[in-house]
């Protein structure tokens, strides 16, 4: 690493890989590479990661008490690649002295709080290789004679953007996750929250109780985060009404049945990758209800029981506004007004609220936004989407030798698990293998002057 205008020895200072973002995806890769380095120190890869958060964090704003994982603990960061790894969830449990207690729970689904602690436990091993509190803002191609064989990864301190540094890398892996999606014309603020910030915002409001003027929260969305937000606010604000605005007739269950679940298997990635594009589209449509705008069945029943019990009690605090959608928010002197349109009555309902919570999901980020001058050299398909090789490397024009790998943003090529946890363990192994192939090739080229990666 060097200050922005410092000098580099052309290749000597370069990392074999710089990871942009240090969420679960790049953490799983850090582990895969570390385990390779331990096994084969002679071929060790030099890696570093840059993360904009001040410390490791996995969707901290949604670490709601009682919320559970949507995948089995066996889909931790390593087990499906190597169950003997010391980074398994089971090893974590043993180290925390909870292995027997967890077994007695008879559940495959730990709470998100516990899984976060597991991830944090893994991440702590990589503190020395992770620059926290820095945001990657630019990627600059580096090369000679028209060949780009390295990049400079420019990052700035989140606390002090004038503090810029550069890391030179032979490969990069973009693992920056998704970005919150907001309805058109609505922006987040003091009284309009995306679920990403739910816990921070709600806890702050709970502390200043006098701020609750309307005793009402409006939650917009029909997916898992929406249902969790409704449940959470209902518990944390026992005097408030919670209005759930859903476009469907109610919450629909996630299909987590065994055959459908196979869409999340590592083998499904192979099959999906090789399939023609109309088959890909069909599969994504058929199985959208395994992941998108659906809710865990137990939570649906729990919410329904609450609604029913409140009817019995004659005090209905949890209201479902079904077949409805948010058409606007208006800021008022003492809160915010949600304008909700019912598609069945064709009428608007105004909900004066203390806060509107937008559980409206996340969108993919085009990695080209970050790639700067490299972006035009990325190959694209006939829909303008980036083309990605099976080893998760972006296909580029021939003069680009630097490897640009993607973790996420590859649903169109690698399928529905692209932005999920399910295949992180196996995908990390694949990226590590690909890096090694390129690494070996580079060494051979240095020795005998030949071009092209050569596998041993
Ligand atoms: P993730 O978003 O976790 O990490 C990306 C990291 O990059 C972030 O830490 C971010 O700060 C950093 N970053 C971004 N831009 C940067 C830049 N320019 N410079 C430096 N750093 C940058 N999936 C699943 O399979 N099972 C589950 O149970 C759940 N549960 C779940 C709950 C909730 C509340 C949400 C919102 C999502 C899930 N998911 C999930 C899906 C979720 O996307 C997945 O669990 C992981 O977060 C994916 O990990 P990534 O590392 O790809 O992205």
């Amino acid at each position: 690493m060097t200050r922005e205008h410092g000098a580099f020895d052309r290749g000597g200072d370069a990392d074999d890989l710089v990871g942009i973002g240090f969420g679960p995806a790049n953490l799983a890769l850090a582990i895969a590479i570390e385990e390779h380095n331990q096994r084969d120190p002679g071929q060790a890869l030099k890696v570093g990661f840059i993360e904009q958060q001040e410390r490791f964090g996995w969707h901290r704003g949604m670490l709601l008490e009682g919320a559970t994982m949507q995948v089995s603990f066996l889909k931790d960061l390593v087990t499906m690649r190597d169950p003997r790894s010391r980074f398994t969830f089971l090893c974590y449990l043993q180290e925390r002295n909870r292995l027997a207690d967890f077994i007695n729970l008879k559940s495959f689904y730990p709470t998100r709080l516990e899984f976060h602690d597991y991830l944090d436990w893994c991440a702590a091993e990589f503190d020395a290789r992770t620059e926290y509190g820095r945001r990657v803002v630019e990627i600059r191609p580096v090369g000679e004679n028209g060949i780009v064989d390295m990049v400079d990864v420019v990052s700035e301190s989140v606390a002090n953007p004038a503090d810029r540094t550069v890391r030179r890398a032979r490969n990069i892996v973009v693992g920056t996750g998704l970005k919150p999606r907001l309805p058109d014309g609505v922006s987040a603020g003091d009284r309009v929250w995306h679920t990403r910030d739910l816990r921070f915002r709600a806890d702050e409001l709970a502390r200043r109780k006098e701020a609750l003027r309307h005793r009402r929260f409006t939650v917009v969305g029909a997916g898992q985060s929406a249902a969790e937000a409704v449940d959470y606010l209902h518990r944390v604000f026992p005097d408030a009404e919670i209005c759930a605005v859903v476009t469907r007739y109610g919450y629909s269950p996630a299909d987590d049945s065994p055959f459908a679940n196979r869409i999340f298997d590592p083998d499904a990635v192979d099959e999906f990758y090789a399939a023609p594009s109309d088959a890909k589209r069909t599969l994504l449509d058929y199985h959208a209800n395994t992941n998108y705008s659906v809710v865990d069945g137990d939570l649906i029943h729990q919410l329904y029981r609450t609604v029913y019990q409140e009817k019995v009690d004659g005090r209905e605090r949890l209201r479902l506004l079904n077949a409805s959608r948010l058409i606007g928010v208006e800021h008022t002197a003492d809160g915010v007004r949600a304008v909700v349109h019912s598609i069945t009555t064709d009428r608007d309902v105004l909900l004066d609220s203390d806060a509107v919570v937008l559980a409206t999901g996340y969108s993919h980020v085009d990695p080209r936004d970050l790639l700067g001058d490299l972006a035009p050299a990325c190959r694209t398909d006939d829909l303008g989407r980036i083309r990605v090789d099976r080893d998760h490397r972006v296909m580029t024009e021939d003069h680009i030798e630097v490897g640009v790998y993607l973790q996420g943003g590859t649903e169109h090529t690698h399928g529905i698990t692209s932005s999920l946890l399910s295949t992180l363990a196996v995908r990390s192994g694949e990226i590590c293998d690909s890096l090694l192939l390129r690494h070996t090739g580079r060494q051979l080229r240095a020795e005998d002057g030949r071009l092209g990666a050569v596998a041993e």
Side-chain angles (χ1 to χ4, degrees), residues 20-26 50-53 57-59 62 68-71 112 134-137 175-178 225 228 362 370 407-408 418-422 424 427:
I20 303 167
F22 200 56
N26 274 347
I50 303 174
E51 165 58 49
Q52 64 188 3
Q53 297 184 83
W58 177 60
H59 304 302
M62 280 296 282
T68 54
M69 295 299 293
Q70 305 301 305
V71 289
R112 275 213 300 275
R134 302 196 70 82
R135 179 177 299 129
V136 173
V137 290
T176 48
L178 307 170
S225 291
E228 287 181 7
Y362 291 82
L370 200 60
Q407 296 237 53
S418 156
S419 61
L420 300 176
L421 301 176
S422 320
L424 290 190
R427 188 209 291 164

Coordinates of all heavy atoms in Angstrom, one line a residue, residues 20-26 50-53 57-59 62 68-71 112 134-137 175-178 225 228 362 370 407-408 418-422 424 427, ligand 1:
I20 N -12.4 -6.3 -2.7 CA -13.1 -5.1 -2.4 C -14.4 -5.4 -1.7 O -15.3 -6.1 -2.3 CB -13.4 -4.4 -3.8 CG1 -12.1 -4.1 -4.5 CG2 -14.1 -3.0 -3.5 CD1 -12.2 -3.7 -5.9
G21 N -14.5 -5.0 -0.5 CA -15.6 -5.4 0.4 C -15.2 -6.6 1.2 O -14.5 -7.5 0.7
F22 N -15.6 -6.7 2.4 CA -15.3 -7.8 3.3 C -16.5 -8.3 4.0 O -16.6 -8.3 5.2 CB -14.1 -7.5 4.2 CG -13.4 -8.7 4.8 CD1 -12.8 -9.6 3.9 CD2 -13.3 -8.9 6.1 CE1 -12.2 -10.8 4.4 CE2 -12.6 -10.1 6.6 CZ -12.1 -11.0 5.8
G23 N -17.5 -8.7 3.2 CA -18.7 -9.4 3.7 C -18.4 -10.9 3.8 O -17.3 -11.3 3.5
P24 N -19.5 -11.6 4.0 CA -19.3 -13.1 4.0 C -18.7 -13.7 2.8 O -17.9 -14.6 2.9 CB -20.8 -13.6 4.2 CG -21.5 -12.5 4.8 CD -20.9 -11.2 4.3
A25 N -18.9 -13.1 1.6 CA -18.4 -13.7 0.4 C -16.9 -13.6 0.4 O -16.2 -14.6 0.2 CB -19.0 -13.0 -0.8
N26 N -16.3 -12.4 0.6 CA -14.9 -12.3 0.5 C -14.2 -12.9 1.8 O -13.1 -13.3 1.7 CB -14.5 -10.8 0.3 CG -14.4 -10.5 -1.2 OD1 -14.5 -11.4 -2.0 ND2 -14.3 -9.2 -1.5
I50 N -10.3 -4.7 1.5 CA -10.7 -3.3 1.9 C -12.2 -3.3 2.1 O -13.0 -3.7 1.3 CB -10.3 -2.4 0.8 CG1 -8.8 -2.5 0.4 CG2 -10.6 -0.9 1.2 CD1 -8.3 -1.7 -0.8
E51 N -12.5 -2.8 3.3 CA -13.9 -2.8 3.7 C -14.3 -1.4 4.3 O -13.6 -0.9 5.1 CB -14.1 -3.9 4.8 CG -15.4 -3.8 5.6 CD -16.7 -3.9 4.7 OE1 -16.8 -4.7 3.8 OE2 -17.5 -3.0 4.9
Q52 N -15.4 -0.9 3.8 CA -15.8 0.4 4.2 C -16.3 0.5 5.7 O -16.2 1.6 6.3 CB -16.8 1.0 3.2 CG -18.1 0.3 3.2 CD -19.0 0.8 2.1 OE1 -18.7 1.6 1.3 NE2 -20.3 0.3 2.1
Q53 N -16.8 -0.5 6.2 CA -17.3 -0.5 7.6 C -16.1 -0.4 8.5 O -15.0 -0.9 8.2 CB -18.1 -1.7 7.9 CG -19.4 -1.8 7.1 CD -20.3 -3.0 7.6 OE1 -21.0 -2.9 8.5 NE2 -20.1 -4.1 6.9
G57 N -19.1 -6.5 9.8 CA -20.5 -6.4 10.1 C -21.3 -7.0 9.0 O -21.0 -6.8 7.8
W58 N -22.3 -7.9 9.4 CA -23.2 -8.5 8.4 C -24.6 -8.0 8.6 O -25.2 -8.5 9.6 CB -23.1 -10.0 8.5 CG -24.0 -10.8 7.5 CD1 -24.0 -10.7 6.2 CD2 -25.0 -11.7 7.9 NE1 -24.9 -11.6 5.7 CE2 -25.6 -12.2 6.7 CE3 -25.5 -12.2 9.1 CZ2 -26.6 -13.1 6.7 CZ3 -26.5 -13.1 9.1 CH2 -27.1 -13.5 7.9
H59 N -25.1 -7.1 7.8 CA -26.4 -6.6 7.9 C -26.8 -6.3 9.4 O -27.8 -6.8 9.9 CB -27.4 -7.5 7.3 CG -27.2 -7.8 5.9 ND1 -27.1 -6.9 4.9 CD2 -26.9 -9.0 5.2 CE1 -26.8 -7.4 3.7 NE2 -26.7 -8.7 3.9
M62 N -30.2 -5.3 10.7 CA -31.3 -6.3 10.7 C -31.0 -7.4 11.7 O -31.6 -8.5 11.6 CB -31.6 -6.8 9.3 CG -32.4 -5.9 8.4 SD -34.1 -5.7 9.1 CE -34.9 -7.3 8.6
T68 N -34.0 -15.7 12.5 CA -33.2 -16.9 12.3 C -32.6 -16.9 10.8 O -33.1 -16.2 10.0 CB -34.0 -18.2 12.5 OG1 -35.1 -18.1 11.7 CG2 -34.3 -18.4 13.9
M69 N -31.6 -17.7 10.6 CA -31.0 -17.9 9.3 C -32.0 -18.5 8.3 O -32.8 -19.3 8.8 CB -29.8 -18.7 9.4 CG -28.6 -18.2 10.2 SD -28.0 -16.6 9.5 CE -27.3 -17.2 8.0
Q70 N -31.8 -18.2 7.1 CA -32.7 -18.8 6.0 C -31.9 -20.0 5.4 O -32.4 -20.6 4.4 CB -33.1 -17.8 5.0 CG -33.8 -16.6 5.5 CD -35.0 -16.9 6.3 OE1 -35.9 -17.6 5.7 NE2 -35.1 -16.5 7.5
V71 N -30.7 -20.2 5.8 CA -30.0 -21.4 5.3 C -29.5 -22.2 6.5 O -29.3 -21.7 7.6 CB -28.7 -21.1 4.5 CG1 -29.1 -20.5 3.1 CG2 -27.8 -20.2 5.2
R112 N -29.8 -15.2 13.5 CA -28.8 -14.3 12.8 C -27.8 -13.7 13.7 O -26.6 -13.5 13.3 CB -29.5 -13.2 12.0 CG -30.0 -13.7 10.6 CD -30.0 -12.6 9.6 NE -30.9 -11.5 10.0 CZ -32.2 -11.4 9.7 NH1 -32.8 -12.4 9.1 NH2 -32.8 -10.4 10.1
R134 N -12.3 1.9 5.1 CA -11.9 2.5 3.8 C -12.8 2.1 2.7 O -13.1 0.9 2.6 CB -10.4 2.1 3.5 CG -9.4 2.5 4.5 CD -8.0 2.4 4.0 NE -7.7 3.4 3.0 CZ -7.4 4.7 3.4 NH1 -7.2 5.0 4.6 NH2 -7.2 5.6 2.4
R135 N -13.1 3.0 1.8 CA -14.0 2.7 0.7 C -13.2 2.8 -0.6 O -12.5 3.7 -0.8 CB -15.1 3.8 0.7 CG -16.1 3.6 -0.5 CD -17.2 4.6 -0.5 NE -18.0 4.5 0.8 CZ -18.3 5.5 1.6 NH1 -17.8 6.7 1.3 NH2 -19.0 5.3 2.7
V136 N -13.4 1.7 -1.4 CA -12.7 1.7 -2.7 C -13.5 2.6 -3.6 O -14.7 2.5 -3.8 CB -12.6 0.3 -3.3 CG1 -12.1 0.3 -4.7 CG2 -11.8 -0.6 -2.4
V137 N -12.8 3.6 -4.2 CA -13.4 4.6 -5.0 C -13.0 4.5 -6.5 O -13.7 5.1 -7.4 CB -13.2 6.0 -4.5 CG1 -13.9 6.2 -3.2 CG2 -11.7 6.3 -4.3
G175 N -16.6 -7.8 -4.1 CA -17.6 -8.5 -3.3 C -18.3 -7.5 -2.5 O -18.3 -7.5 -1.2
T176 N -18.9 -6.5 -3.2 CA -19.5 -5.3 -2.5 C -21.0 -5.5 -2.2 O -21.6 -4.5 -1.7 CB -19.2 -4.1 -3.4 OG1 -19.6 -4.4 -4.7 CG2 -17.8 -3.7 -3.4
G177 N -21.6 -6.6 -2.4 CA -23.0 -6.8 -2.0 C -23.9 -6.0 -2.9 O -23.6 -5.6 -4.0
L178 N -25.1 -5.9 -2.3 CA -26.2 -5.2 -3.0 C -26.5 -3.8 -2.5 O -26.0 -3.5 -1.4 CB -27.5 -6.1 -2.9 CG -27.4 -7.5 -3.2 CD1 -28.6 -8.3 -2.8 CD2 -27.2 -7.7 -4.7
S225 N -37.8 -9.6 5.1 CA -37.4 -8.4 5.9 C -38.6 -7.6 6.4 O -38.6 -7.1 7.5 CB -36.4 -7.5 5.1 OG -35.2 -8.1 4.9
E228 N -40.3 -9.5 9.2 CA -39.4 -9.4 10.4 C -39.6 -8.0 11.0 O -39.6 -7.8 12.2 CB -38.0 -9.7 10.1 CG -37.7 -11.2 9.8 CD -36.3 -11.5 9.5 OE1 -35.4 -10.5 9.7 OE2 -35.9 -12.6 9.2
Y362 N -33.3 -5.0 -2.3 CA -32.0 -4.6 -2.7 C -31.9 -4.8 -4.2 O -32.5 -5.6 -4.8 CB -30.9 -5.4 -2.0 CG -30.8 -5.2 -0.5 CD1 -31.7 -5.8 0.4 CD2 -29.9 -4.3 0.0 CE1 -31.6 -5.5 1.7 CE2 -29.8 -4.0 1.3 CZ -30.6 -4.6 2.2 OH -30.6 -4.4 3.6
L370 N -17.5 0.6 -10.7 CA -16.3 0.7 -9.9 C -15.1 0.5 -10.8 O -14.0 1.0 -10.4 CB -16.3 -0.4 -8.8 CG -15.4 -0.2 -7.6 CD1 -15.8 1.1 -6.8 CD2 -15.6 -1.4 -6.7
Q407 N -18.0 -11.7 -6.9 CA -18.7 -12.4 -5.9 C -20.0 -11.7 -5.8 O -20.1 -10.6 -5.1 CB -18.0 -12.4 -4.6 CG -16.7 -13.1 -4.6 CD -16.7 -14.3 -3.5 OE1 -17.6 -15.1 -3.5 NE2 -15.7 -14.3 -2.7
G408 N -21.1 -12.1 -6.4 CA -22.3 -11.4 -6.5 C -22.5 -10.7 -7.8 O -21.5 -10.5 -8.6
S418 N -26.1 -16.3 -6.5 CA -25.1 -15.3 -6.7 C -24.9 -14.4 -5.5 O -23.8 -14.1 -5.1 CB -25.4 -14.5 -8.0 OG -24.8 -13.3 -7.9
S419 N -26.0 -13.9 -4.9 CA -25.8 -13.0 -3.8 C -26.2 -13.6 -2.5 O -26.4 -12.9 -1.5 CB -26.7 -11.7 -4.1 OG -28.1 -12.1 -4.1
L420 N -26.2 -14.9 -2.4 CA -26.6 -15.6 -1.2 C -25.4 -16.3 -0.5 O -24.3 -16.2 -1.0 CB -27.8 -16.6 -1.5 CG -29.0 -16.0 -2.1 CD1 -30.0 -17.1 -2.4 CD2 -29.7 -15.0 -1.1
L421 N -25.7 -16.9 0.6 CA -24.7 -17.6 1.3 C -24.4 -19.0 0.9 O -23.4 -19.6 1.0 CB -25.0 -17.7 2.8 CG -25.2 -16.3 3.6 CD1 -25.7 -16.6 5.0 CD2 -24.0 -15.5 3.6
S422 N -25.5 -19.6 0.2 CA -25.5 -21.1 0.0 C -24.2 -21.7 -0.6 O -23.8 -22.7 -0.2 CB -26.7 -21.4 -0.9 OG -27.8 -20.7 -0.6
L424 N -21.2 -20.1 -1.0 CA -20.0 -19.3 -0.8 C -18.7 -20.2 -0.6 O -17.7 -19.9 -1.1 CB -20.1 -18.4 0.4 CG -21.0 -17.2 0.3 CD1 -20.9 -16.2 1.5 CD2 -20.8 -16.4 -1.0
R427 N -17.8 -21.7 -4.0 CA -17.4 -20.7 -4.9 C -16.0 -20.1 -4.6 O -15.2 -19.9 -5.4 CB -18.4 -19.5 -4.9 CG -18.2 -18.5 -6.0 CD -18.6 -17.1 -5.6 NE -20.1 -17.0 -5.5 CZ -20.8 -16.1 -4.9 NH1 -20.1 -15.1 -4.3 NH2 -22.1 -16.1 -4.9
Ligands
LIG1 P1 -22.5 -8.2 1.8 O1 -23.4 -7.1 1.4 O2 -22.8 -8.9 3.0 O3 -21.0 -7.5 2.0 C1 -20.5 -6.6 1.1 C2 -19.5 -5.7 1.8 O4 -18.9 -4.9 0.9 C3 -20.2 -4.9 2.9 O5 -19.6 -5.1 4.1 C4 -19.9 -3.5 2.4 O6 -19.8 -2.5 3.4 C5 -18.7 -3.6 1.6 N1 -18.5 -2.6 0.5 C6 -19.4 -2.2 -0.4 N2 -18.9 -1.3 -1.3 C7 -17.6 -1.1 -0.9 C8 -16.6 -0.3 -1.3 N3 -16.7 0.5 -2.4 N4 -15.4 -0.3 -0.7 C9 -15.2 -1.1 0.4 N5 -16.2 -1.9 0.9 C10 -17.4 -1.9 0.3 N6 -28.7 -15.0 2.4 C11 -28.7 -16.3 2.7 O7 -28.2 -17.1 1.9 N7 -29.2 -16.8 3.9 C12 -29.7 -15.9 4.8 O8 -30.2 -16.3 5.9 C13 -29.7 -14.5 4.5 N8 -30.2 -13.6 5.4 C14 -30.2 -12.3 5.1 C15 -30.7 -11.4 6.0 C16 -30.8 -10.1 5.7 C17 -31.4 -9.1 6.6 C18 -30.3 -9.6 4.4 C19 -30.3 -8.2 4.1 C20 -29.7 -10.5 3.5 C21 -29.7 -11.9 3.8 N9 -29.2 -12.8 3.0 C22 -29.2 -14.1 3.3 C23 -28.6 -12.3 1.6 C24 -27.2 -11.6 1.8 O9 -27.0 -10.9 0.6 C25 -26.1 -12.6 2.1 O10 -26.3 -13.2 3.3 C26 -24.7 -11.9 2.2 O11 -24.7 -10.7 2.8 C27 -23.9 -11.8 0.9 O12 -22.6 -11.5 1.2 P2 -21.7 -10.5 0.4 O13 -20.3 -10.6 1.0 O14 -21.8 -10.9 -1.0 O15 -22.4 -9.1 0.5

